[in-house]
Short mmCIF file of all heavy atoms in Angstrom, two decimals:
data_model
loop_
_atom_site.label_atom_id
_atom_site.label_comp_id
_atom_site.label_asym_id
_atom_site.label_seq_id
_atom_site.Cartn_x
_atom_site.Cartn_y
_atom_site.Cartn_z
N ILE A 441 58.09 26.37 0.87
CA ILE A 441 59.28 27.11 1.30
C ILE A 441 59.61 26.73 2.75
O ILE A 441 60.77 26.52 3.09
CB ILE A 441 59.05 28.63 1.16
CG1 ILE A 441 58.88 28.97 -0.32
CG2 ILE A 441 60.20 29.43 1.76
CD1 ILE A 441 58.50 30.41 -0.61
N ASN A 626 26.90 22.55 19.39
CA ASN A 626 27.34 23.04 18.08
C ASN A 626 28.61 23.88 18.18
O ASN A 626 29.53 23.73 17.36
CB ASN A 626 26.25 23.86 17.41
CG ASN A 626 25.20 22.97 16.81
OD1 ASN A 626 25.48 22.21 15.90
ND2 ASN A 626 23.99 23.03 17.34
N ASP A 668 74.38 2.67 8.41
CA ASP A 668 75.35 1.58 8.43
C ASP A 668 76.51 1.96 7.52
O ASP A 668 76.43 1.86 6.31
CB ASP A 668 74.71 0.25 7.99
CG ASP A 668 73.93 0.40 6.71
OD1 ASP A 668 73.54 1.53 6.38
OD2 ASP A 668 73.77 -0.61 6.01
#
Side-chain angles (χ1 to χ4, degrees):
I441 295 174
N626 281 297
D668 49 338

